[in-house]
Amino acid sequence: MPEEITTADKVGSVSPARYAEIVAELRNLVQTASRIQFTIGDYALEVEPMRESGGQERSDGLFTVKDSLFRLAEDIGVSYKSLSDNRWVASRWPQDRRVSGVSFTVHRIFAGIADEDERFETILTPPEGRTRWTPDEANRRAGRQVVKPITPQEKVSAIHTLAKDEAVAATVTGDLLRRPTVVAQVKQEDKVRAVEELTRDEDVAATVTGDLLRRPAVVAQVKQADRVRVVEELTRDDHVAAEVTTGLLRRPDVAFKAMSDDTARHQVNHAQVERGRQARDQFEDTSPVAPAVKNIDRSVEFLDLVTACHAFVAAAGRVVPGMRDRQLGDDERIIVHENVARVRATLDWIETAVDTGRVDVDGELARLLQGE
């Protein structure tokens, strides 16, 4: 009985004893088939000997060789490929080196071993625990893909072969990525490449990015420069930017650092003034008490103006007498004269506003008031 079948109630639909009979009969037929294939190869070699020695049948590319072998294949009713294969295998195994009981298939697999001594020795040394070579064991020894993979590397090779088709590869990849234990064993750089490929679609990228940004541990590992770029991209929408800025300015440390920027501080001040103006315009346009409040505002403005003039006169009356017998330097006199000019311009502006109600500021006055 074959060593592969030692204990079993049935093999397929037959008993172990019947299975052993079938194996014995088929081995005889395989042995006969092997002799036939070698014989076909020997005759093909007689018609067209190998033109060069080596591990591959390169001479078959010659037109005359192919023409002769093709005619022979047609005349005996076999394919050119089968005939050519038998010829090459026969050339690799001289008759005295062919092993009885070893199939032509195994001879063909080992025919690829370039070194003759290694080739002839290998076929005589089956794997430990076996009395003969099987095609899978021969392929494994020759470093070729096996039909029934056993080791992890053999299984990986089989998967790669099956996944050469893009549709099959996509389906297999999707199934594997649903298995957390599998994903956990993928190298980090491979995970990164996979994510980059899977997020080429903008919609997918947007969904994944949103999910990732909800994970504090992930965000904590993002470089500061990348975080800034992300925030800039996410706040291009004015509504989003306004909501985010409001939230940030409620954080004292953030607000303090932001106000250290002159442009940011100016924009905030401008926004406050503009917001107040809009609120006042809305009040004046919609509130029934707006006229009365406007009269009060005018009275307040009048009092503010008189107070400002009084404060200036009082301050001047207090400071100027203290300059008795004091000689100012040239630079000091220039500064005082510049400020006096600003005061005169301001007084002219006040008079114009009081007499005409016009408060417009021309360019020259604006420069004076700004100290330019």
Side-chain angles (χ1 to χ4, degrees):
M1 184 178 292
E3 68 270 18
E4 294 88 348
I5 307 300
T6 55
T7 57
D9 292 335
K10 276 191 173 184
V11 180
S13 299
V14 300
S15 66
R18 177 55 184 157
Y19 180 78
E21 294 174 358
I22 292 174
V23 169
E25 183 66 24
L26 289 179
R27 280 180 176 171
N28 290 332
L29 293 176
V30 169
Q31 185 71 14
T32 301
S34 296
R35 287 197 299 270
I36 292 172
Q37 288 175 290
F38 270 123
T39 301
I40 293 173
D42 290 336
Y43 280 128
L45 278 172
E46 182 179 347
V47 173
E48 280 292 351
M50 301 299 290
R51 303 296 175 89
E52 64 176 22
S53 60
Q56 296 185 13
E57 188 186 7
R58 293 182 178 140
S59 60
D60 279 6
L62 299 173
F63 174 76
T64 55
V65 174
K66 182 174 182 179
D67 188 53
S68 300
L69 292 179
F70 186 81
R71 176 177 177 178
L72 178 61
E74 291 285 293
D75 288 342
I76 66 175
V78 298
S79 69
Y80 166 77
K81 185 179 183 307
S82 176
L83 179 70
S84 180
D85 182 58
N86 292 342
R87 170 176 168 264
W88 176 69
V89 174
S91 74
R92 305 288 285 171
W93 295 99
Q95 291 189 12
D96 61 336
R97 292 291 187 175
R98 299 169 188 173
V99 180
S100 177
V102 178
S103 69
F104 184 84
T105 300
V106 172
H107 281 85
R108 182 175 64 242
I109 293 170
F110 287 146
I113 299 177
D115 184 84
E116 282 191 348
D117 293 337
E118 180 184 356
R119 186 190 323 144
F120 299 152
E121 176 66 24
T122 298
I123 202 167
L124 295 174
T125 313
E128 184 178 355
R130 292 185 176 273
T131 60
R132 65 176 65 239
W133 283 103
T134 65
D136 253 14
E137 291 292 354
N139 279 321
R140 187 172 288 113
R141 170 62 178 79
R144 300 168 60 178
Q145 184 172 323
V146 298
V147 175
K148 185 179 180 181
I150 296 176
T151 68
Q153 184 56 49
E154 290 173 350
K155 294 176 181 179
V156 169
S157 298
I159 290 173
H160 279 301
T161 300
L162 293 172
K164 286 182 179 179
D165 181 272
E166 298 294 340
V168 174
T171 302
V172 170
T173 302
D175 292 342
L176 293 176
L177 291 177
R178 294 187 186 95
R179 296 163 61 179
T181 55
V182 173
V183 176
Q185 299 179 57
V186 178
K187 295 179 180 178
Q188 184 172 349
E189 56 267 29
D190 292 332
K191 291 180 182 180
V192 171
R193 282 198 296 270
V195 171
E196 289 174 347
E197 289 297 325
L198 293 172
T199 55
R200 290 188 183 277
D201 181 273
E202 299 295 339
D203 294 332
V204 174
T207 302
V208 171
T209 301
D211 292 340
L212 293 176
L213 291 176
R214 294 187 187 96
R215 296 164 59 180
V218 173
V219 176
Q221 299 180 54
V222 179
K223 296 178 181 177
Q224 183 173 349
D226 293 332
R227 294 185 194 181
V228 172
R229 282 198 295 272
V230 169
V231 172
E232 288 174 347
E233 289 297 326
L234 295 176
T235 55
R236 289 188 183 277
D237 181 272
D238 287 343
H239 296 294
V240 175
E243 187 171 345
V244 170
T245 303
T246 301
L248 293 175
L249 290 177
R250 291 194 182 103
R251 296 161 59 178
D253 292 342
V254 174
F256 178 79
K257 292 179 181 178
M259 291 306 100
S260 299
D261 183 89
D262 292 339
T263 302
R265 186 171 61 254
H266 173 74
Q267 292 293 343
V268 169
N269 292 337
H270 177 74
Q272 288 177 322
V273 172
E274 183 62 21
R275 181 67 175 173
R277 186 192 63 78
Q278 292 178 0
R280 178 166 181 165
D281 289 345
Q282 183 180 11
F283 173 79
E284 291 178 351
D285 293 339
T286 60
S287 176
V289 299
V293 173
K294 188 178 295 184
N295 291 332
I296 295 173
D297 285 345
R298 289 175 179 172
S299 298
V300 172
E301 290 166 357
F302 167 75
L303 292 175
D304 288 342
L305 183 58
V306 171
T307 301
C309 292
H310 176 74
F312 172 74
V313 172
R318 183 176 62 256
V319 174
V320 172
M323 298 178 63
R324 184 188 304 274
D325 299 328
R326 181 179 176 184
Q327 296 295 322
L328 298 179
D330 292 340
D331 292 339
E332 293 174 324
R333 284 199 301 271
I334 290 173
I335 294 174
V336 172
H337 286 309
E338 288 177 352
N339 281 276
V340 168
R342 292 174 61 193
V343 171
R344 287 198 183 98
T346 303
L347 293 175
D348 291 340
W349 182 34
I350 293 173
E351 287 184 344
T352 299
V354 171
D355 294 339
T356 65
R358 294 174 54 248
V359 295
D360 299 336
V361 180
D362 58 28
E364 184 177 357
L365 176 59
R367 286 193 295 273
L368 283 171
L369 294 177
Q370 294 173 1
E372 298 179 359

